[in-house]
């Protein structure tokens, strides 16, 4: 494959986010792609998958074995691309360092992070990205990302809303090896005191201490959810004067006492604790997935946003075929607009700065099962 100034490099290409984004880029763009990761066999399997399912011209895809923890090797890889997708979460660990390496290599950057600490670190990198005319895009996943767009869509019909509750529920992951990254992201970010909006102030949330039973539309029912603040709290609060803003995730059967143990281990500071915790959560995640399969549960996922004020409550619901599917479309839509030029300003941005919820619906195809904005 010949390297051109339109080449896109995907770091962590065979993980859940990486392979989903790669599929979207292979299907909806003509850009040369470099799929990068540590495992050559997994990269080859991804290449075969893309070639068999998306009518992709394999000649424009190249595989690159690179260790994401080797900053020099990552820097050399970034010099081969105009834009780099960082799919190597959790981002609270090393996401900002990777972004810095990308910017210094002269490439634009995109990720699907949800951690507030990562967003704050990217703010420090924004001046350099602006000076070099580069995009620094984050929070381009489902939550945050799609959740942000859905919230803003509802605000069009309820501009006087003072409270927002964003909730995400799925009974099983689409793939047996998915879900670990999202859980670890929330766990690690909790060590940096992420905040929710409470009575017009930013209030730190202690992971595991704030839960809530939420009545979702059928067939999702009433579920116990865990509060896990995301980048949504920071970006939406900049756009609208919310008195209260909270983000909730379906907890499943995970015990809340586990989070007390996590706080004692401090995995964000101790490598051995991180490795131990990852092993434990992987086993729990695999067990949950196996149990869900035996129960015949589908991978359909609900994203629900409820706005309210003293007089009115309004809920918008989005049902997807699975919890990761829209990562095939949202990052690709942003990348296409960046390459088209003119519609995205250099510097730090999220989907709020580029797209609307309607834009997403127009490109999402059959990934969306149902949209209800009249609840």
């Amino acid at each position: 494959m010949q390297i051109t100034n339109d080449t896109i490099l995907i770091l962590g290409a065979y993980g859940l986010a990486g392979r989903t984004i790669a599929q979207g880029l292979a299907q909806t763009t003509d850009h040369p792609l470099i799929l990068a990761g540590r495992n050559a066999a997994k990269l080859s399997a991804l290449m075969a998958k893309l070639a068999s399912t998306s009518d992709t011209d394999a000649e424009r895809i190249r595989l690159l074995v690179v260790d994401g923890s080797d900053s020099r090797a990552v820097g050399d890889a970034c010099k081969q691309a105009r834009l780099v997708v960082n799919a190597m979460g959790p981002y609270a660990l090393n996401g900002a360092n990777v972004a810095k390496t990308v910017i210094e290599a002269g490439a634009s950057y995109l990720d699907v992070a949800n951690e507030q600490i990562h967003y704050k670190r990217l703010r420090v990198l924004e001046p350099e990205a602006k000076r070099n005319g580069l995009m620094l895009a984050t929070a381009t996943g489902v939550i945050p990302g799609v959740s942000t767009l859905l919230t803003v869509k509802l605000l069009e019909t309820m501009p006087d809303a003072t409270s927002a509750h964003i909730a995400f529920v799925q009974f099983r992951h689409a793939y047996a090896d998915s879900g670990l990254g999202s859980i670890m992201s929330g766990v690690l970010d909790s060590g940096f005191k992420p905040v929710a909006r409470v009575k017009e102030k930013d209030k730190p949330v202690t992971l595991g201490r704030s839960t809530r039973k939420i009545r979702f539309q059928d067939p999702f029912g009433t579920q116990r959810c865990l509060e896990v603040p995301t980048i949504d709290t920071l970006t939406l609060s900049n756009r609208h004067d919310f008195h209260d803003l909270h983000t909730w995730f379906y907890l499943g059967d995970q015990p809340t006492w586990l989070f007390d143990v996590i706080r004692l281990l401090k995995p964000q500071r101790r490598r051995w604790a991180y490795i131990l915790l990852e092993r434990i959560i992987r086993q729990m995640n695999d067990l949950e997935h196996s149990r869900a399969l035996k129960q015949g549960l589908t991978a359909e996922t609900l994203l629900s946003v409820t706005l309210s004020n003293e007089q009115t409550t309004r809920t918008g619901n989005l049902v997807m075929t699975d919890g990761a599917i829209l990562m095939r479309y949202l990052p690709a839509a942003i990348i296409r607009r960046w390459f088209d030029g003119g519609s995205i300003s250099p510097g730090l941005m999220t989907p709020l700065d580029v797209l609307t919820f309607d834009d997403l619906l127009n490109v999402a195809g059959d990934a969306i099962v149902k949209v209800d904005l009249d609840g």
Side-chain angles (χ1 to χ4, degrees):
M1 181 190 75
Q2 182 180 4
I3 302 299
T4 73
N5 63 351
D6 288 340
T7 298
I8 299 170
L9 168 68
I10 304 176
L11 299 171
Y14 49 73
L16 175 63
R19 66 176 180 253
T20 306
I21 294 170
Q23 187 172 2
L25 291 172
Q27 289 177 333
T28 66
T29 77
D30 294 322
H31 296 292
L33 303 176
I34 302 176
L35 310 180
R38 286 182 294 185
N39 190 305
K42 290 183 178 181
L43 287 173
S44 296
L46 174 60
M47 168 76 93
K49 177 72 172 178
L50 292 177
S52 66
T53 61
S54 61
D55 296 323
T56 300
D57 177 12
E59 293 297 320
R60 69 181 176 97
I61 300 179
R62 182 163 70 90
L63 306 182
L64 179 64
V65 177
V66 62
D67 186 342
S69 64
D70 185 339
S71 59
R72 178 174 295 181
V74 170
D76 290 340
C78 292
K79 292 174 183 177
Q80 304 179 49
R82 181 180 169 192
L83 184 142
V84 177
V85 175
N86 178 15
M88 301 186 302
Y91 298 95
L93 279 183
N94 201 38
N97 289 333
V98 174
K100 185 175 187 295
T101 299
V102 172
I103 296 301
E104 289 176 346
S108 285
Y109 173 92
L110 179 141
D111 66 41
V112 293
N114 58 27
E115 299 100 314
Q116 290 184 3
I117 186 62
H118 176 67
Y119 184 77
K120 292 175 181 178
R121 290 168 177 167
L122 291 187
R123 283 175 174 166
V124 178
L125 299 177
E126 182 176 23
E128 184 176 357
K130 281 187 173 181
R131 282 195 301 269
N132 292 285
L134 302 173
M135 177 176 70
L136 193 61
T138 190
T140 69
V142 176
I143 179 168
V146 178
S147 55
T148 324
L149 299 179
L150 177 56
T151 303
V152 171
K153 177 66 176 179
L154 286 179
L155 282 171
E156 293 177 3
T157 55
M158 196 176 177
D160 57 348
T162 57
S163 173
H165 288 266
I166 301 169
F168 181 84
V169 56
Q170 61 178 356
F171 296 132
R172 82 165 171 85
H173 301 298
Y175 310 100
D177 60 345
S178 60
L180 178 67
S182 297
I183 297 171
M184 291 301 293
S185 294
V187 164
L188 292 178
D189 198 34
S190 67
F192 298 97
K193 298 182 179 179
V195 299
R197 192 74 174 161
V198 181
K199 297 180 180 179
E200 301 184 68
K201 295 182 179 180
D202 290 338
K203 180 180 179 180
V205 173
T206 302
L207 191 63
R209 299 283 177 83
S210 179
T211 62
R212 182 185 189 190
K213 282 192 174 181
I214 300 178
R215 173 71 175 110
F216 296 103
Q217 68 174 38
D218 293 335
F220 296 93
T222 300
Q223 304 297 339
R224 182 180 62 141
C225 295
L226 178 73
E227 183 167 19
V228 183
T230 72
I231 293 173
D232 274 342
T233 304
L234 307 180
T235 56
L236 285 170
S237 294
N238 289 336
R239 296 296 186 98
H240 185 82
D241 187 22
F242 284 113
H243 295 182
D244 295 273
L245 177 58
H246 301 267
T247 306
W248 308 91
F249 288 80
Y250 169 59
L251 185 59
D253 294 329
Q254 294 185 24
T256 55
W257 58 259
L258 176 63
F259 300 108
D260 291 324
V261 175
I262 291 170
R263 274 187 289 279
L264 291 174
L265 291 176
K266 294 182 172 59
Q268 74 276 14
R269 298 180 184 175
R270 300 166 176 165
R271 179 63 181 169
W272 66 265
Y274 173 82
I275 294 172
L276 174 63
L277 182 61
E278 184 181 47
R279 187 176 302 158
I280 293 171
I281 292 182
R282 186 185 298 276
Q283 292 175 349
M284 294 176 63
N285 202 44
D286 291 346
L287 182 62
E288 286 267 333
H289 185 78
S290 298
R291 184 183 296 121
L293 286 176
K294 290 179 181 178
Q295 294 175 352
L297 299 176
T298 71
E300 284 192 0
T301 302
L302 174 66
L303 175 63
S304 182
V305 176
T306 299
L307 302 182
S308 61
N309 55 31
E310 292 183 357
Q311 295 82 30
T312 309
T313 297
R314 184 179 182 89
T315 298
N317 293 308
L318 174 67
V319 182
M320 299 154 279
T321 56
D322 68 62
I325 188 69
L326 287 182
M327 284 193 294
R328 187 184 302 172
Y329 301 99
L330 181 54
I334 292 171
I335 289 170
R336 288 197 303 273
R337 292 205 176 188
W338 174 251
F339 277 102
D340 288 344
S343 60
I344 302 180
S345 299
L348 182 60
M349 55 78 62
T350 70
L352 270 179
D353 303 298
V354 186
L355 302 170
T356 67
F357 185 71
D358 291 337
D359 291 330
L360 178 63
L361 295 183
N362 288 335
V363 300
D366 57 2
I368 295 176
V369 177
K370 181 182 178 182
V371 180
D372 179 9
L373 302 179
D374 299 318

